[in-house]
Every structure is written in structure tokens, then in C-alpha cells.
Amino acid sequence: MKAFKTVENDLDNVFITSQAVIIENDMTEGVLNQYEEGPFKVFVTKSKGEKCSRCWKYRHLGEVTEHPMICKDCVDAIAEKN
């Protein structure tokens, strides 16, 4: 579990999803589906935030006032291209 914590910020991209977090205990609220493999459990829940207009992932928008409809990752990606 500790190894996963070191890459937690990249799990959403690994699993191709809007959000992925590691929790230490079982979830009880908002679980839409659950999968177990050995000692690991995956809980599927509704993502938090709004849909980014660029990547379509559900994220917190408006962190950059010049681009209120896209997430911070997309703002950073656009800045890298320029």
C-alpha cells in the first residue's frame, strides 16, 4: 500500500479515470460498484468536481481565472505548448 501512496497523484492517468485515491479502510457511502483482487479492493464512486471542457475529466475548475472552464492540468499543458 505504501508504494501506491508514492504515485497516488498519477493513479487517475494510470487507470484512465477522472479521480483515483487510496484509502486505508472500506468505503460505505456512494459506492456504485466494488471489485476485489487479493488484498486490494476497488470502489467505484461518482467523481467530485465539474467536467473540464478540454480533457473531459471531472476536476475542480476555476483555479486559473484566465481559464475558468478547464482544469489546472490542462492549463499547464497549454502553457507547455507555448
Side-chain angles (χ1 to χ4, degrees), residues 36-80:
E36 294 185 39
E37 182 71 36
F40 299 102
K41 294 181 183 178
V42 175
F43 299 99
V44 178
T45 62
K46 184 177 179 182
S47 295
K48 297 177 181 172
E50 298 174 87
K51 187 176 181 180
C52 173
S53 297
R54 183 175 180 269
C55 68
W56 289 21
K57 290 183 178 182
Y58 284 81
R59 303 279 180 87
H60 297 286
L61 305 182
E63 291 182 33
V64 179
T65 55
E66 295 84 19
H67 303 285
M69 301 305 293
I70 62 176
C71 67
K72 177 79 168 75
D73 289 345
C74 285
V75 170
D76 292 345
I78 291 169
E80 287 177 12

Side-chain angles (χ1 to χ4, degrees), residues 20-32:
V21 295
I22 296 174
I23 59 171
E24 299 293 329
N25 53 4
D26 287 352
M27 293 191 70
T28 57
E29 293 183 20
V31 176
L32 302 173

